[in-house]
Amino acid sequence: MTDSVLHVSRDQLTETVAGLRDEGYVSVLDVTAVDYLEHPGRTDLPDKVAPERFELVVTLISHTAPGRTRLRVQVPDDDPTVPTLFDLYPGTEALEREVADMFGIVFEGHPDPSRILMPPDWEGHPLRKDFSVGQIPVQFKATR
Amino acid sequence: MNSIATDEAVRRRDDSAVLRIAEDDGERLEAEAGTSDTSMVMNMGPQHPSTHGVLRLMLEMEGETVMRSKPVIGYLHTGMEKTAETLTYLQGPTNVTRMDYASPLFSELAFSMATEALLGLEVPPRATWIRMLMCELNRISSHLLFQATNGMDIGAVSMMIYGWREREEALRLLETITGLRMNHNFIRPGGVAADLPDGWRDEVLTLIDALPARLNEFDTLLTGQPIYRERLQGVGVINTAECLALGVTGPILRSTGYAWDLRRDMPYLAYDQVDFDVVVGTYGDCFDRYAIRLNEIRESIRILAQILHQMPSGDYRVQDKKVTPPPRARIDESMEALIHHFKIFTEGFKVPAGEVYAAVESPRGELGCYMVSDGSAVPYRMHIRGPSFVNLQTLPHMMQGGMVADAVAIISSVDPIMGEVDR
Amino acid sequence: MKLPLLGDPKAVIDQGLEGVDHNFVTGKLEDLVKWSRARSCWPATFGLACCAIEMMATGGAHYDLARYGMEVFRASPRQADLMIVAGRVSQKMAPILRRIYDQMMEPKWVISMGVCASSGGMFNNYAIVQGVDQIVPVDVYAPGCPPGPETLMHAILTLHDKITSGEITRRRDETGAGANLTVDQRDGQTSTGVVIRK
Ligand code: SF4
């Protein structure tokens, strides 16, 4: 069973989700994002969609005709904002906070835009590709 | 209680169930606390015996009554999604298995299914059935863990001893098969790590013969016990519309009387070839959630019995040179096999570019894996949709208007595993 | 010469306080204190991740930590002597861990359970403190991911030995550092089945 994928623009996001909700998509399962900074030559976008650095991925599920739909929204680097889906599906609250924390994407109208996973005074957004993994070299030494 | 599904304005109001104060916003905290003589904001956790690890709660209290609340998480944030971007597809299960440590095999399964979907791999039937066997065993051990911790939180400490005793049986079986009690790294892209050991049938049979009697003991100890019922019935009620709006899945959704189980409704593996019931509750309270988990153990035992009969023979992983390392015996004789083995474990295998979402029904709800590949040997992005993470959002709605003593029962009935909440 | 009631006098001396239930011995008060410290070493509940589940399993019926007088996991750090850091310590958790350690009463011990707590383990990244010894002094490191109950008990017994001998307390007094002991992994040594009763 493959999920259907829709490419929508930022302005149409709320509208599309509202439409899907009326069609019987009962829940938003997942909101996440991908940073395409290091994968410029991607080819999986349809012609009319211009690739941007970030992509917001919203997964919805319908129970009446069991199936999932994935919305892929391009979000530019210089203006990383998207409208919140909180009013349509309150369950996106924590998921959107996570995306905001990890990618620095701002959800306009989100009721609680604070960080969720990292400490409040943390700098940077860890899942961005230009944030390093933060590995420290391992030193092996005798223990005693 | 207002229904969050219908009234959009109510959710944003200051008297909605969720307390929306940032945890470091001291000024606002003080101001809020000063608004009334009787209300105060209280902190619970992250080091608290009944918060299942490191969950922290901010509770706004009116005397003993909880008004608004907010779960504060992140104390176990491990950066696993970032680490996943540095590990090959073969190493990936080692990483994801440490997310949901009460049911590690499910994360491995979701990860493997996503990888296989990108590769377009068909897993051999025996591997599929072994996966099912392992998952159901794991579901049993996970729900037994819930019984133990739930009992402990409610104050039925002897239940903890019983729950651990039974869980130890299931763990021993998992250890016999995978070599480890937890964090198995057993389900891998392309199949499973090893074939079932000799005598596995007898071991599984012993377990599923003995467990029902033990579960009946649980019934005697807890289900019919007035004190226990008193503490759980009517506590932490939530309805179907709220659950769906919040994206909740698993036993919490089913406790409201809504039968939704991916195993039945969107079957994966070979769940369409076994016979089982989806257990649902009626009231959506803590007691229903307890009863559902208890009875799901019984259903899992039913499934296990069928798996024992139907287990096909054949390969336990795909015979595709690209993803499968050569058999151990060949490595000793052939240089090529050695090189092949070395390459697969150091460089990994390349996966075609694309993106995919694969989901399984874990003991806590829908566990999904969203994976993006750029054609190299490591995932470009790997995201796990953790059921506990989403389910935690129900806490404020369940706790609102209840006593603070019930908060413990409610947290316990959500059964969050913080490793998978924070990842 | 054999004493009729006490048996071989040399054995009596060797047994020391261990034989207190069938022997009568005289000893130093200090020994008695050390002995009782080791025998009622209450751990604080400090479960963080996967390792915590194994820590709880150790306290369960099959492994039975109660044998060592340790089954009471105290929720309050004020009542605990031993902190078992079971799991990975994130940057967000680190200050809280330290605060809980500071709240514990002297003398106090720390066991670092699992590779994550000991060295960051497989999570060498921005989020995890690479070794809890950067925050608190560690006495015993238990290896494994997760260390099985057998390994944890081995670590605990090692700690008991050191407490009884008093060595660890002296070092703590002098340098403030932990004992830094590493134990072997002992998993699977008791994987015999429990007899299942129908
Ligand atoms: S050492 Fe292993 S089992 Fe323990 S917390 Fe770390 S990942 Fe989990």
Side-chain angles (χ1 to χ4, degrees), chain B residues 172-243:
Chain B
R172 198 164 48 77
L173 190 47
L174 287 173
E175 186 177 6
T176 319
I177 299 175
T178 70
L180 278 170
R181 289 158 54 87
M182 295 166 63
N183 301 348
H184 313 278
N185 188 17
F186 185 70
I187 298 177
R188 300 182 187 173
V192 292
D195 207 347
L196 295 172
D198 295 341
W200 65 274
R201 264 173 212 279
D202 295 339
E203 298 235 12
V204 177
L205 261 182
T206 326
L207 182 77
I208 61 179
D209 276 354
L211 264 184
R214 300 284 181 87
L215 296 179
N216 292 344
E217 277 180 22
F218 290 10
D219 268 339
T220 324
L221 187 65
L222 297 179
T223 315
Q225 192 210 72
I227 305 174
Y228 193 72
R229 293 184 85 105
E230 193 70 14
R231 285 230 42 198
L232 294 187
Q233 277 179 332
V235 170
V237 181
I238 193 159
N239 63 33
T240 312
E242 286 173 328
C243 278

Side-chain angles (χ1 to χ4, degrees), chain A residues 29 33 35 87 109 131, chain B residues 11-12 82 380-381 385 423:
Chain A
L29 287 177
D35 178 0
D87 289 323
F131 189 100
Chain B
R11 299 196 291 267
R12 285 182 176 275
K82 190 83 177 175
Y380 185 74
R381 166 109 171 91
R385 184 252 185 221
R423 289 166 309 229

Side-chain angles (χ1 to χ4, degrees), chain C residues 56-68:
Chain C
M56 285 154 76
T58 317
H62 188 65
Y63 292 100
D64 195 14
L65 213 47
R67 284 179 286 171
Y68 311 113

Side-chain angles (χ1 to χ4, degrees), chain B residues 47 73 75 78 83 181 210, chain C residues 45 54 88 90 92 125 196:
Chain B
Q47 192 258 352
I73 61 175
Y75 292 97
T78 315
T83 298
R181 289 158 54 87
Chain C
T45 47
E54 287 294 66
R88 33 194 195 253
S90 69
K92 197 171 176 177
N125 62 21
I196 297 187

